[in-house]
Structures are given as C-alpha cells and as structure tokens.
C-alpha cells in the first residue's frame, strides 16, 4: 500500500489544531520538536511540516497529496485546488482596514489609494470586481503597521479577534471573504492515494459531526414522549427504554451543540426531567 503525504503548517495554532484532528481520527503521529517529516504508526500517512504560504504550491506540484490549510491561501495561490472538507477551526476573515480617522463610507473611497497586503491576487480581484483601481504594496509580514509608517493608506489582511487592528489604530471596513482550515487535495493525486484519502475523509467527518453534537438522556413520562420527540432533531428515531418506575421511560437522542440551551428549555417545558448531556467522541453515519 502506498503512503499518503499530507502537508500541515509547521508551527502555530493551525499546526496544533491539525495534529489534534488527525489524533481524534485515530491516527498516531510522532511529531517531535523541529521535525520536518513524520510518519503515522497506525495509518499509511506521512506528515510534512511546511511553511503555510508554501503549501498551495506543494499541492499544485503533487509533492503532497493533501493538506490542511487555510482556504484564504488557496484563494490567493491555489489555482482551483479542490477542497473536500471544511474543518471548522482557524476561522478568520480577509478584510480591508483603514486608519480610525479615515471617514470611510464605501469601497469607492479607496480609489487610487495604496493598499498594503500579503494577498495581492485577492486584493486585485476584489477591487477590480468593484471597479476600483488601487496601488498594491505587497509585504510579507506586519501588514498592519504600513499605514502608521506612511507605506500605505489601507491594508488587506487576516482578521481574527480584531485586537491587532485596534492596537495599530485601524478599523475593519470591508470583509472580502471568511476563511477557515480546509482539507485540500492535489490535482495530481493517484487513484491508490485517493482510496486512502476517502478513508481519512470518512474518519474526519465522523470527528466533525461529534464536535458539533451532544448526546442527551432524560426521563420522560410515557404520555409526554410524543411531545418530546417533536422537539428533538433525531438521527433516525428516539431511543426509548422503560424505567423501573411505571409510566416513565429513559429517552436518548443527539442534539446540535449550537442550539443546545434552546432545546433544553423546550424539553423541560414538555415534561422531561433528569436531563443528562454527554460529549460524543465519534459519530459514524
């Protein structure tokens, strides 16, 4: 069997989250300090730790089969690389920011101005789509300082919490697009590697479903089970087990983590008692 090559960022939060989702998918990786390459001990996978900005080219060239990378980089450098799974972490925005004193009303206010960015293609595509001409200054780091030192009138950069903009006396005025970590595939992947990718994707999907869900158990009077069942978004049907106390049952289901508290309130009103909520490690459909 061939070995699948996957690229992940060699340091930072994206690295940590990437390793964690592989671990949650049952893959053991010996990722020692300063390693640039590591093999999984229980899955045909080899991990290459690369600079984030280099990963799209490695995919294009077929040096790696797949990668966990921010889709903001694929928009900038990916040349239509296929994304097979959004991963739900490392979420951010690629945004336009200007000095706080700038009386910004619309993107037209930036016509003819200097924009500092690490994403020249993204910036050019965005402003061209708005019919706005800008002078792009490409820099590789510390983009947010550019207006303060007179290098640019505005910037386009990644925004997470917005604290970096605030510290540099900038304000976000336009969101070009929202980004998150994704699983991306090389256009040169072999059929044999594709089979391994399908297996890996299946495992990751099971992990992601579990992260978005909670397992819920409750005691419900038998005459209230139908009412409770209308509230619960079940996978197929409720699990109902009789309790020792006559007229009562234990009802089990899965609920979405994002709507958890609203559902709990409705269940209590419908007559559910002794509600227990448990994390789900994996969810295989």
């Amino acid at each position: 069997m061939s070995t699948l090559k996957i690229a992940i960022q060699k340091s930072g939060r994206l690295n940590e989250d990437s390793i964690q989702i592989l671990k949650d998918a049952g893959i053991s990786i010996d990722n020692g300090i300063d390693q640039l390459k590591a093999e999984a001990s229980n899955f045909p996978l080899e991990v290459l730790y690369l600079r984030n900005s280099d990963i799209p080219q490695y995919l294009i060239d077929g040096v790696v089969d797949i990668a966990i990378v921010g889709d903001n980089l694929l928009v900038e450098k990916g040349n239509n690389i296929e994304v097979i799974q959004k991963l739900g972490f490392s979420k951010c925005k690629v945004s336009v920011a200007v000095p706080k004193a700038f009386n910004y009303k619309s993107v037209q206010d930036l016509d003819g101005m200097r924009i500092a960015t690490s994403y020249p293609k993204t910036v050019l595509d965005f402003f061209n789509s708005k019919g706005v001409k800008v002078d792009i200054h490409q820099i590789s780091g510390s983009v947010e300082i550019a207006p303060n030192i007179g290098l640019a009138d505005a910037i386009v950069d990644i925004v997470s919490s917005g604290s970096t903009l605030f510290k540099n006396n900038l304000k976000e005025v336009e969101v070009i697009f929202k980004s998150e970590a994704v699983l991306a595939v090389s256009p040169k992947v072999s059929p044999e590697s594709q089979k391994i990718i399908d297996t890996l994707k299946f495992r990751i999907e099971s992990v992601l479903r579990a992260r978005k869900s909670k397992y819920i158990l409750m005691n419900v009077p038998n005459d209230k089970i139908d009412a409770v069942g209308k509230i619960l978004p079940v996978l197929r049907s409720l699990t109902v087990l009789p309790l020792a106390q006559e007229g009562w049952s234990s009802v089990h289901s899965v609920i979405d983590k994002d709507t958890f508290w609203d559902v709990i309130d409705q269940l209590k009103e419908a007559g559910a008692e002794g509600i227990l909520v448990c994390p789900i490690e994996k969810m295989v459909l």
Side-chain angles (χ1 to χ4, degrees):
M1 179 182 290
S2 65
T3 299
L4 191 71
K5 292 184 178 180
I6 182 171
I8 65 172
Q9 184 177 321
K10 66 179 179 180
S11 62
R13 181 63 182 273
L14 184 54
N15 167 276
E16 296 170 6
D17 289 337
S18 300
I19 292 295
Q20 187 61 53
I21 199 167
L22 293 175
K23 182 186 294 185
D24 291 345
I27 299 172
S28 299
I29 301 167
D30 179 19
N31 57 316
I33 297 174
D34 296 330
Q35 275 188 293
L36 298 179
K37 186 170 66 171
E39 291 190 7
S41 60
N42 60 349
F43 193 83
L45 186 73
E46 183 179 66
V47 180
L48 277 67
Y49 301 98
L50 304 174
R51 271 199 328 176
N52 204 34
S53 59
D54 292 339
I55 290 176
Q57 192 61 50
Y58 276 72
L59 285 167
I60 292 168
D61 293 342
V63 176
V64 296
D65 301 300
I66 58 173
I68 296 177
V69 62
D71 60 357
N72 57 294
L73 277 177
L74 298 183
V75 170
E76 179 66 24
K77 299 181 175 182
N79 291 344
N80 299 316
I81 289 173
E82 182 185 5
V83 171
I84 60 171
Q85 182 69 59
K86 291 184 177 292
L87 299 176
F89 56 81
S90 294
K91 292 185 177 182
C92 62
K93 297 173 286 184
V94 177
S95 299
V96 182
V98 300
K100 290 180 181 177
F102 194 118
N103 184 23
Y104 183 89
K105 296 179 181 178
S106 75
V107 70
Q108 305 300 324
D109 294 336
L110 297 175
D111 191 51
M113 293 196 173
R114 300 167 299 166
I115 309 294
T117 187
S118 300
Y119 301 94
K121 178 182 179 298
T122 300
V123 172
L124 189 61
D125 289 347
F126 173 73
F127 282 103
N128 282 346
S129 72
K130 302 295 183 180
V132 175
K133 294 184 178 180
V134 295
D135 181 12
I136 297 175
H137 288 243
Q138 183 177 354
I139 52 181
S140 58
S142 301
V143 174
E144 61 278 349
I145 201 175
N148 293 329
I149 61 175
L151 180 64
D153 303 296
I155 70 167
V156 171
D157 202 13
I158 290 175
V159 177
S160 296
S161 66
S163 61
T164 302
L165 294 182
F166 180 81
K167 291 175 184 177
N168 287 276
N169 204 34
L170 300 173
K171 61 183 179 182
E172 182 183 46
V173 292
E174 298 283 346
V175 176
I176 297 179
F177 64 87
K178 294 181 179 180
S179 175
E180 65 181 276
V182 298
L183 191 64
V185 181
S186 168
K188 297 184 178 181
V189 68
S190 70
E192 188 174 0
S193 293
Q194 185 61 53
K195 293 180 181 179
I196 307 173
I197 291 172
D198 293 342
T199 300
L200 177 62
K201 181 174 181 286
F202 174 79
R203 291 193 185 192
I204 289 176
E205 286 174 344
S206 299
V207 171
L208 294 176
R209 288 192 203 100
R211 289 182 179 181
K212 295 176 182 178
S213 305
K214 296 288 186 181
Y215 190 75
I216 186 168
L217 308 85
M218 70 207 81
N219 298 330
V220 181
N222 289 342
D223 61 353
K224 302 289 187 181
I225 291 176
D226 286 344
V228 166
K230 292 177 181 178
I231 297 168
L232 290 169
V234 296
L235 296 176
R236 187 178 295 273
S237 65
L238 294 176
T239 299
V240 180
L241 303 172
L243 294 178
Q245 183 177 347
E246 188 175 350
W248 285 76
S249 294
S250 176
V251 176
H252 301 205
S253 187
V254 173
I255 61 175
D256 189 281
K257 185 175 65 174
D258 293 336
T259 59
F260 168 75
W261 287 112
D262 290 337
V263 172
I264 292 297
D265 290 339
Q266 294 177 54
L267 291 172
K268 290 174 64 179
E269 291 178 7
E273 298 180 6
I275 301 172
L276 299 179
V277 180
C278 307
I280 301 172
E281 184 175 337
K282 309 286 187 300
M283 187 184 296
V284 181
L285 299 181

